[in-house]
Amino acid sequence: MPTSNPNTYNDILDENTTTKIKVCAMRRGDDEIFQPKILAASSEKDIPLYLRLPAMPILYSDTSPDGDKEKFNKSIEQACNTFTLVRGNKFSNVKRGMPNLENDQQEAFDLLQKQHRELLTAAFKSEKVKCSGKDKAKKKAKKKAKTIAKEEKRDISEEELNDIALGIYIEDSHDSGMKETTWTDDGEEKSEISLKIKRKCYGMRDVEEEADGEKVKKRKLIRVPPVFHKPTPTGDYHEKKYENYIQRGTLAIFRVRRNFYSSPMMYGSNLTFDKDVIIMCESKKRKRNAQTKPVMYFEDQDDDKRQRTE
């Protein structure tokens, strides 16, 4: 079986993985807009950084070719594969080999929550970033400041007013990448914060084509599915295929990044994942043994109706 080579760079918990937030220019149609992005601290390029998470159990998954295109009536440009990840580990062999895994998962969750607040803070403080939520937060802050001044009989400084507005701006934002999820596990109802990560099924890529006898590169919309890699005892990886979903509870390693977004109706940040996904451990498929019980025996014969008409 041929080996595969997943990207495993930028472990989110590695002390050598240092990041910075920079407000970057980007194109949206014919317009130039500015958004805060998480970059590698040492990078001179404005390329958002994917960070490698510790292994996490998959709660819900969609590995179908067109993702949620039909479910939500999306265009192929907007169709996504979506995964929901939670904390925990049900594999005893993994617990023995990685006793700190669940602590690492919690630390990664905390860092991702921190990134959400940092992106929103950078967006609020930058005059280049246009977001309707800023004006709304400032209006709410003025009302709150008046109440504080009246109740505490003191003046509110501009600095304090700005801090109040920032707090409101973050509180009113939407974290699309971390949501409270309720599900049933072995008959028990659970409700906790989960990671909701997405990847577009199609993307614009440079494709080499032959034209007039020459090979030329063209930008085309092509399918860009995630690639799943299964490790081997020798340290190599081989690619594994899934049709529509991955079994619940499977431990997988994703590389994710935070993205700020703003629209007239809402603003906040989401989580997207890179194409390489490592399948660390999954449940073995079990074949159910057939259960055979005896039934009362009757000798074959013609039915009564047929006997009467003959």
Side-chain angles (χ1 to χ4, degrees):
M1 185 178 292
T3 59
S4 58
N5 299 285
N7 283 323
T8 58
Y9 304 121
N10 303 322
D11 187 333
I12 192 172
L13 302 182
D14 189 335
E15 61 181 11
N16 295 316
T17 303
T18 55
T19 61
K20 64 182 178 182
I21 293 182
K22 180 182 176 182
V23 174
C24 305
M26 57 184 292
R27 304 297 301 182
R28 181 173 290 173
D30 295 330
D31 299 326
E32 182 182 57
I33 64 171
F34 292 86
Q35 289 189 346
K37 296 182 181 294
I38 298 175
L39 314 175
S42 58
S43 175
E44 296 181 358
K45 297 181 179 180
D46 296 344
I47 301 175
L49 188 67
Y50 282 109
L51 296 171
R52 183 174 183 250
L53 298 177
M56 294 186 182
I58 294 173
L59 181 61
Y60 302 119
S61 60
D62 175 8
T63 59
S64 59
D66 290 340
D68 57 6
K69 177 178 178 294
E70 287 190 14
K71 184 177 180 180
F72 296 113
N73 195 27
K74 290 183 175 181
S75 64
I76 59 172
E77 292 88 352
Q78 297 300 318
C80 291
N81 289 125
T82 303
F83 285 78
T84 301
L85 310 178
V86 292
R87 289 158 288 185
N89 168 32
K90 291 189 174 181
F91 299 103
S92 58
N93 57 338
V94 177
K95 288 181 179 180
R96 289 192 299 269
M98 304 179 70
N100 295 322
L101 178 59
E102 293 186 50
N103 290 333
D104 292 343
Q105 292 169 351
Q106 183 59 56
E107 189 175 349
F109 266 63
D110 293 342
L111 287 171
L112 291 173
Q113 286 181 322
K114 181 183 177 186
Q115 286 182 353
H116 172 74
R117 294 191 297 271
E118 290 175 341
L119 280 175
L120 271 293
T121 300
F124 184 81
K125 291 183 176 180
S126 174
E127 294 182 359
K128 293 181 178 179
V129 179
K130 304 303 179 184
C131 178
S132 59
K134 292 185 184 182
D135 292 334
K136 293 177 183 177
K138 289 174 182 177
K139 288 179 181 178
K140 287 184 179 180
K142 288 180 180 178
K143 290 182 180 179
K144 188 173 182 179
K146 287 181 180 179
T147 302
I148 294 173
K150 185 177 180 180
E151 291 178 351
E152 300 182 7
K153 297 180 180 179
R154 64 181 180 88
D155 294 331
I156 304 297
S157 66
E158 284 297 320
E159 184 179 356
E160 186 177 356
L161 180 62
N162 192 64
D163 288 342
I164 294 171
L166 172 59
I168 293 172
Y169 182 71
I170 294 174
E171 185 179 347
D172 289 350
S173 68
H174 294 265
D175 186 347
S176 302
M178 301 186 76
K179 293 186 173 183
E180 186 166 350
T181 304
T182 301
W183 74 98
T184 302
D185 184 22
D186 293 332
E188 179 185 350
E189 187 175 281
K190 287 190 172 183
S191 184
E192 61 181 61
I193 297 296
S194 66
L195 301 184
K196 192 167 186 178
I197 60 178
K198 294 177 178 286
R199 175 177 174 81
K200 287 191 175 179
C201 299
Y202 294 82
M204 296 299 294
R205 299 290 187 272
D206 289 325
V207 178
E208 199 172 75
E209 294 183 343
E210 192 168 317
D212 299 328
E214 295 184 358
K215 289 185 177 181
V216 294
K217 286 186 176 181
K218 293 184 178 179
R219 295 287 286 176
K220 294 186 71 175
L221 185 70
I222 63 171
R223 184 172 277 127
V224 286
V227 180
F228 302 98
H229 307 266
K230 183 75 174 175
T232 67
T234 60
D236 295 322
Y237 295 89
H238 63 80
E239 187 176 344
K240 185 165 184 178
K241 300 286 188 179
Y242 296 92
E243 290 187 4
N244 295 308
Y245 70 95
I246 296 177
Q247 189 174 358
R248 179 182 287 190
T250 295
L251 282 175
I253 300 174
F254 289 82
R255 298 175 71 237
V256 303
R257 73 183 181 199
R258 276 282 187 190
N259 309 282
F260 173 83
Y261 68 88
S262 174
S263 70
M265 299 302 295
M266 68 172 63
Y267 62 93
S269 76
N270 56 32
L271 285 168
T272 54
F273 67 94
D274 192 21
K275 68 180 182 69
D276 289 320
V277 181
I278 296 173
I279 304 298
M280 176 175 280
C281 190
E282 55 189 333
S283 299
K284 291 182 178 179
K285 291 184 178 179
R286 298 178 180 177
K287 291 185 178 180
R288 296 184 64 179
N289 295 326
Q291 293 184 353
T292 305
K293 293 182 179 180
V295 298
M296 189 175 294
Y297 171 76
F298 294 94
E299 186 177 351
D300 294 339
Q301 69 169 66
D302 291 331
D303 60 72
D304 293 341
K305 184 178 181 181
R306 183 176 179 183
Q307 286 178 349
R308 288 195 300 270
T309 58
E310 286 180 349

